[in-house]
Amino acid sequence: MYVGRDMTELSMMAKNNWKDSELAFFHHALQQITPYLNSEGQSIHRQIIEEIENRGGFDRTEANYTNGTKTTYD
């Protein structure tokens, strides 16, 4: 369960000041409702994705049946 700052507080801050957990949570939340976002919501989601990419993405913390916890490059 997410325990952290809400979007109202975060919207007043630069994305590079957000914690990884905040970026991950709001990326997932906005990803689930992408078809219903207006242009402002899509812009916020795009900024979140760009910040995640700028940080080099997120490391996997859970393995599943197809992937381990570390990303491998061939």
Side-chain angles (χ1 to χ4, degrees), residues 4-40:
R5 297 177 284 190
D6 65 0
M7 184 58 87
T8 304
E9 184 176 353
L10 292 170
S11 67
M12 295 183 266
M13 300 172 56
K15 302 290 182 282
N16 60 359
N17 293 329
W18 289 26
K19 297 176 187 173
D20 286 350
S21 61
E22 293 164 339
L23 287 169
F25 175 79
F26 285 105
H27 168 57
H28 179 73
L30 292 171
Q31 187 177 36
Q32 298 298 309
I33 60 168
T34 296
Y36 309 104
L37 293 176
N38 62 14
S39 60
E40 184 178 358

Side-chain angles (χ1 to χ4, degrees), residues 60 62-72:
R60 270 189 182 275
E62 286 185 31
N64 61 27
Y65 70 96
T66 60
N67 297 303
T69 57
K70 295 185 180 180
T71 305
T72 57

